[in-house]
Amino acid sequence: MQIHTISTQLFAGQKPGTSGLRKQVQVFQQAHYLENFVQAIFDTLEGYAGKTLVLGGDGRYYNRNAIQTILKMAAANGFGRVLVGHNGLLSTPAVSAVIRQYQAFGGIVLSASHNPGGPEGDFGIKYNISNGGPAPEKITEAIYARTQSIRSYKILAADDLDLARLGTVQVADMQVEVIDSVTDYAKLMESLFDFDRINQMFKSGAFQMRFDAMHAITGPYAKAILEQRLGAAGMLLNCTPLEDFGGGHPDPNLTYAKDLVDILFGADAPQFGAASDGDGDRNMILGAHCFVTPSDSLAVLAANAHLVPGYKDGLAGIARSMPTSAAADRVAAALGIDCFETPTGWKFFGNLLDAGKATLCGEESFGTGSNHVREKDGLWAVLFWLNILAVRQQSVGQILREHWARFGRNFYSRHDYEAVPSEGANRLIDSLRNRFGILPGQRFGDYEIEFADDFSYTDPVDQSFTQQQGIRIGFVGGSRMVFRLSGTGTAGATLRLYLESYSADSATHNLDAQVALADLIKIAEELAGIRQHTGRDQPTVIT
Ligand code: VG1
Ligand code: CO
């Protein structure tokens, strides 16, 4: 088999965002576009000759083509072995688990996560390092720089491989091992959670749940673990991965997982509901007539971790992204452990996890995880909740109310204005930035601005510095709002507004978050001129 060196032209904009390179499928379908980026990844890495690469994706449209191309390029560039998911499928947390288990050099994840799929949808690619986590900024910036100077790429002239057959085949000097997508991940889950106890809960017949895989990658994992191993028979929805996710947005939130939300808020609601996203790293947690914000979920998991076998010896620390509410901080304070505040994106948790400074991590964007892998992990969060429910024998709502009674409630909401014109969104951010000096002291009804700044972060492990990670406006008394532009969208800009206020008073805890935050929402609109800059008078998605 022959290695070809193909000359290529440069593509502008191959800059990884919050989580890898995400573009419309049509962009990826341009000749050499994917190859350029993959070669830029390989050119940036050192010392991988003869080593193992893990490869898999969420099964969205273009996954099948991209996998074959990357296999041939890995062989041409000198990798010794590729572990590839059955039919090219691996969830993001499974890629992370497999990299760690087999001590691979790194991995490539093919996914645009919660973005819609299909020929008209999005595709994405992300490189993960040997700890199993997303490449840190130092590497993603080097990859981007390389895309700007690359002249050619190397690819093996070979037939496509049959990825439907498990086992090992030789491709030139490289081995390709097609592995079962679920086995290693399922074993890891079994080592962390009390499967027998969860199984008992389902067997009792009194416990009902609904898990919605949203026609995405967690389907096969949920079938194997929840249904076959734990006995949640007949409780799973949309478990066949489809290339276009059935036309939906595989984004587990109140808007895009509406079918599930309707079931949990309907008559005869089951006790527990959950959903995961396109690539299986997000989770949404629901109880009967009750929605658990991801920020609260992180706090509840932390406060109850001692009930779960994998975490019973205590937590080293908790880490949350800056826009995530401070609910977890209160638990950390009670446990006497550190709580770290990082920029948005899982890559910022890697060092803290590797250094043993944090055990649990979370983001308000439906991301929760721990040191078991280096990605957020949707099904892991579902199993964690099931384990807590099996031990405490209480409803999700009761657990949440007791949590608030003990720690107080951080009312929280995120308002997304999706696909607004980039120019207006940038103007909005610039205009806030230009007013940092004059905002403190300004009053809006009962609220007085205490500070206004741009969030920056110095990694406590390697001192790497990151700036302009979201505009924070804090009010006297602790309420706050954050404005950020998304780094994962592919059309225009997406403005995210994060709102938070705290109440220790149990009498207020049953309030709807939108009601509790109504004043702040109005102030945000006025302060930032959302209507004027985006042309929108309401958000696309409220969570
Ligand atoms: C969003 C979320 C962020 C998350 C990222 C990747 O980024 O806000 O918390 O880490 O998606 O998640 P942004 O830049 O659009 O706000 V996933 O499940 O898309 O890999
Ligand atoms: Co995802």
Side-chain angles (χ1 to χ4, degrees):
M1 277 178 264
Q2 229 190 331
I3 293 174
H4 289 287
T5 301
I6 315 267
S7 41
T8 170
Q9 80 274 25
L10 304 183
F11 291 93
Q14 291 197 317
K15 191 175 172 57
T18 312
S19 181
L21 181 70
R22 290 189 192 170
K23 300 283 174 195
Q24 285 158 346
V25 165
Q26 281 116 332
V27 173
F28 270 101
Q29 282 172 327
Q30 298 171 86
H32 312 311
Y33 188 92
L34 173 75
E35 291 86 342
N36 253 43
F37 190 73
V38 172
Q39 188 65 51
I41 295 176
F42 293 160
D43 287 353
T44 306
L45 306 176
E46 271 169 32
Y48 61 79
K51 301 264 171 67
T52 300
L53 181 75
V54 177
L55 178 62
D58 64 7
R60 67 178 58 225
Y61 183 80
Y62 211 56
N63 197 84
R64 282 184 290 142
N65 310 51
I67 289 263
Q68 297 290 345
T69 301
I70 296 169
L71 283 171
K72 292 170 200 174
M73 289 184 67
N77 279 277
F79 274 95
R81 180 168 73 140
V82 175
L83 299 175
V84 58
H86 193 202
N87 292 315
L89 300 181
L90 279 173
S91 73
T92 291
V95 169
S96 192
V98 171
I99 291 175
R100 294 169 68 76
Q101 166 149 353
Y102 297 93
Q103 293 168 359
F105 184 86
I108 290 181
V109 188
L110 300 174
S111 170
S113 188
H114 54 288
N115 297 17
E120 309 297 319
D122 290 343
F123 190 71
I125 173 166
K126 183 172 80 157
Y127 181 70
N128 282 24
I129 59 175
S130 62
N131 74 353
E137 278 194 323
K138 215 174 40 217
I139 297 181
T140 55
E141 275 160 20
I143 294 171
Y144 174 56
R146 183 64 189 144
T147 65
Q148 299 305 290
S149 65
I150 197 163
R151 293 277 172 259
S152 64
Y153 63 86
K154 282 196 269 182
I155 188 159
L156 191 75
D159 289 338
D160 282 358
L161 288 166
D162 179 6
L163 301 180
R165 193 178 312 159
L166 296 175
T168 305
V169 292
Q170 191 74 27
V171 182
D173 294 335
M174 187 179 86
Q175 277 188 354
V176 174
E177 190 176 340
V178 181
I179 58 170
D180 182 78
S181 310
V182 179
T183 310
D184 294 309
Y185 176 83
K187 266 196 212 131
L188 179 58
M189 292 303 111
E190 187 156 14
S191 74
L192 297 172
F193 301 111
D194 191 342
F195 272 25
D196 290 341
R197 198 146 181 175
I198 300 172
N199 183 227
Q200 285 298 325
M201 179 168 70
F202 282 117
K203 261 210 218 135
S204 74
F207 185 81
Q208 282 287 320
M209 80 173 277
R210 291 291 177 274
F211 175 81
D212 189 347
M214 304 190 83
H215 291 301
I217 190 67
T218 35
Y221 295 84
K223 281 257 174 213
I225 299 171
L226 296 175
E227 191 171 279
Q228 284 152 26
R229 182 67 183 78
L230 296 172
M235 303 187 196
L236 311 184
L237 311 168
N238 304 320
C239 277
T240 308
L242 300 175
E243 288 200 327
D244 66 350
F245 309 115
H249 249 277
D251 196 353
N253 61 34
L254 296 172
T255 300
Y256 296 124
K258 189 167 180 306
D259 294 350
L260 179 74
V261 173
D262 286 348
I263 294 173
L264 269 292
F265 282 83
D268 297 326
Q271 288 97 324
F272 184 62
S276 193
D277 71 332
D279 62 330
D281 57 359
R282 295 187 178 205
N283 72 91
M284 174 168 68
I285 301 295
L286 302 161
H289 302 274
C290 148
F291 163 63
V292 184
T293 69
S295 297
D296 277 345
S297 180
L298 173 65
V300 169
L301 298 192
N304 291 278
H306 59 284
L307 305 176
V308 173
Y311 304 91
K312 67 174 188 329
D313 295 334
L315 307 175
I318 305 173
R320 63 163 174 85
S321 67
M322 179 275 285
T324 304
S325 94
D329 303 39
R330 295 175 187 279
V331 178
L335 293 173
I337 57 176
D338 285 333
C339 189
F340 298 89
E341 188 179 37
T342 61
T344 295
W346 211 261
K347 59 182 170 231
F348 294 102
F349 294 132
N351 278 348
L352 296 170
L353 292 165
D354 285 351
K357 288 179 180 292
T359 307
L360 296 187
C361 303
E363 294 193 281
E364 49 63 42
S365 54
F366 299 86
T368 336
S370 88
N371 59 354
H372 70 291
V373 288
R374 294 294 181 275
E375 289 277 6
K376 54 190 188 270
D377 190 342
L379 213 46
W380 168 90
V382 175
L383 292 166
F384 207 129
W385 266 95
L386 284 171
N387 201 146
I388 293 171
L389 293 170
V391 175
R392 288 189 50 170
Q393 301 281 325
Q394 288 174 300
S395 72
V396 173
Q398 273 169 323
I399 290 174
L400 206 53
R401 277 190 297 278
E402 284 184 20
H403 185 91
W404 292 335
R406 179 169 166 211
F407 296 100
R409 177 170 178 191
N410 289 72
F411 286 100
Y412 189 83
S413 184
R414 181 173 111 179
H415 290 199
D416 291 329
Y417 296 78
E418 295 180 335
V420 300
S422 297
E423 229 176 73
N426 289 330
R427 246 189 291 119
L428 182 151
I429 295 289
D430 288 342
S431 138
L432 285 169
R433 204 167 263 149
N434 292 338
R435 280 179 283 155
F436 283 164
I438 56 164
L439 287 175
Q442 283 191 21
R443 293 190 73 91
F444 297 82
D446 294 341
Y447 291 82
E448 179 183 342
I449 297 183
E450 186 169 283
F451 68 91
D453 67 6
D454 245 320
F455 179 62
S456 62
Y457 178 69
T458 303
D459 184 295
V461 178
D462 68 9
Q463 316 306 319
S464 53
F465 180 67
T466 314
Q467 55 189 334
Q468 300 205 330
Q469 293 295 315
I471 286 177
R472 307 191 286 189
I473 298 181
F475 294 84
V476 175
S479 297
R480 66 166 191 165
M481 55 184 66
V482 174
F483 296 87
R484 246 191 96 244
L485 298 185
S486 157
T488 57
T490 58
T494 290
L495 171 70
R496 305 203 193 285
L497 163 64
Y498 312 78
L499 304 137
E500 177 177 0
S501 75
Y502 176 74
S503 168
D505 176 6
S506 294
T508 68
H509 288 171
N510 281 334
L511 271 180
D512 181 85
Q514 302 309 316
V515 174
L517 295 166
D519 287 346
L520 276 181
I521 294 169
K522 264 203 223 106
I523 296 170
E525 154 66 30
E526 189 180 329
L527 206 59
I530 298 178
R531 211 169 293 214
Q532 169 203 338
H533 289 301
T534 68
R536 300 281 176 83
D537 50 18
Q538 57 186 30
T540 329
V541 178
I542 295 181
T543 44

